[in-house]
Amino acid sequence: MVDILHRIAAERTAPAQAYEALTTLDGLAGWWTEQTTGSTRTGGVIAFRFKDDGFDMEVAELVPDERVVWEVVGGPDEWIGTRIRWELEADGDYTVVRFKHEGWREPVEFMHHCSTKWGVFLMSLKRLLEHGKGEPYPHDVHIDNWG
Amino acid sequence: MVDILHRIAAERTAPAQAYEALTTLDGLAGWWTEQTTGSTRTGGVIAFRFKDDGFDMEVAELVPDERVVWEVVGGPDEWIGTRIRWELEADGDYTVVRFKHEGWREPVEFMHHCSTKWGVFLMSLKRLLEHGKGEPYPHDVHIDNWG
């Protein structure tokens, strides 16, 4: 099992703001994909779409202002059963976001792509928190010939 | 042992251009850090500096236009003995760059930071290749409260 790890921090941001960006449809649509629908409560399923494809995430755990865990229940084969874990922590004027996409079976080339693309979307989240506007799909930064 | 993985692709770029950006001091200074000195030949050591800190990489393997491998011989404890592996491949009008920073002993928080920061520097490499100008230190994009 292999994991994708990332860490960003947003300045002049409280953990509650970051938590809101991860647990409301408006927040999620502000940095990941504008095509976000579903239920963001524990046990709910959030549908993230990128044109015709995308991911369905079951909300596995919510600890206000501290932790969000999603389990992937729909999407590419490589993603099914993996988990996305968000940990939030205040550090001075920053909120630190520790990210883990855990449980990949193999370090396939697609995982390399997803790692970089998560990085770009986390920078979009940082921008949303610091400047009020992210770069969600379809306005996302392209990293390679896959998107 | 855990690895950082990334994948970018640069458009209108031949593998030879990407290889040059990874194997010449001018190329490396164009996307990672302007403070790059040393020898880029096999067995040579390249010193990458960020103000006072940095990394020393021994060039372990060079396959023109295909592969570059560095072994970390100086820098933070967590980096010593890890390897940075670059694989280049043409795909239509793109050159795909597969990146692996392999051999971390533990998935410490610093590894989360380095993963995102590598992603940002790889986007700097992409920009250098596509537009002739990257964002090397000290002009690099900040990702968190560590840099």
Side-chain angles (χ1 to χ4, degrees), chain B residues 1-66:
Chain B
M1 302 287 249
V2 281
D3 305 334
I4 293 169
L5 310 176
H6 284 294
R7 181 188 196 273
I8 58 158
E11 206 172 356
R12 296 176 302 281
T13 298
Q17 291 168 264
Y19 186 77
E20 190 182 342
L22 298 173
T23 57
T24 66
L25 295 178
D26 271 0
L28 293 162
W31 65 267
W32 197 14
T33 170
E34 292 185 349
Q35 297 175 232
T36 300
T37 57
S39 162
T40 60
R41 285 176 301 187
T42 306
V45 173
I46 315 172
F48 299 99
R49 289 294 175 274
F50 303 79
K51 206 171 176 186
D52 303 321
D53 302 321
F55 313 105
D56 298 323
M57 305 281 191
E58 185 175 318
V59 180
E61 192 179 346
L62 291 176
V63 180
D65 308 346
E66 282 183 24

Side-chain angles (χ1 to χ4, degrees), chain A residues 3-9 89 91 94 96 98-100 107-109 111-113 115-116 119-120 122-123 126 141-146, chain B residues 3-9 89 91 94 96 98-100 107-109 111-113 115-116 119-120 122-123 126 141-146:
Chain A
D3 304 336
I4 293 169
L5 309 176
H6 284 294
R7 182 188 195 273
I8 58 160
E89 192 176 6
D91 187 351
Y94 285 87
V96 174
R98 282 187 301 272
F99 169 95
K100 190 185 278 190
V108 292
E109 183 156 9
M111 184 178 171
H112 292 63
H113 165 86
S115 175
T116 312
V120 161
L122 282 158
M123 292 302 286
K126 176 178 166 70
V141 174
H142 288 202
I143 61 165
D144 61 18
N145 51 336
W146 293 350
Chain B
D3 305 334
I4 293 169
L5 310 176
H6 284 294
R7 181 188 196 273
I8 58 158
E89 192 176 6
D91 187 352
Y94 285 87
V96 174
R98 282 187 302 272
F99 169 95
K100 190 184 277 189
V108 292
E109 183 155 9
M111 184 178 171
H112 292 63
H113 165 87
S115 175
T116 312
V120 161
L122 282 158
M123 293 302 287
K126 175 178 166 71
V141 175
H142 287 202
I143 61 164
D144 61 20
N145 51 336
W146 292 350

Side-chain angles (χ1 to χ4, degrees), chain A residues 46-118:
Chain A
I46 314 171
F48 298 99
R49 290 294 175 272
F50 303 79
K51 207 171 176 187
D52 303 320
D53 302 322
F55 314 104
D56 298 325
M57 306 283 191
E58 185 175 317
V59 180
E61 192 178 347
L62 292 176
V63 180
D65 307 347
E66 282 183 24
R67 186 183 308 143
V68 174
V69 183
W70 299 327
E71 179 163 345
V72 183
V73 295
D77 277 354
E78 297 92 335
W79 279 51
I80 303 289
T82 62
R83 289 192 156 215
I84 319 285
R85 182 179 297 272
W86 304 87
E87 306 276 353
L88 310 175
E89 192 176 6
D91 187 351
D93 196 29
Y94 285 87
T95 286
V96 174
V97 180
R98 282 187 301 272
F99 169 95
K100 190 185 278 190
H101 183 176
E102 62 189 16
W104 287 72
R105 287 182 296 274
E106 299 288 340
V108 292
E109 183 156 9
F110 182 48
M111 184 178 171
H112 292 63
H113 165 86
C114 293
S115 175
T116 312
K117 195 77 192 189
W118 271 126

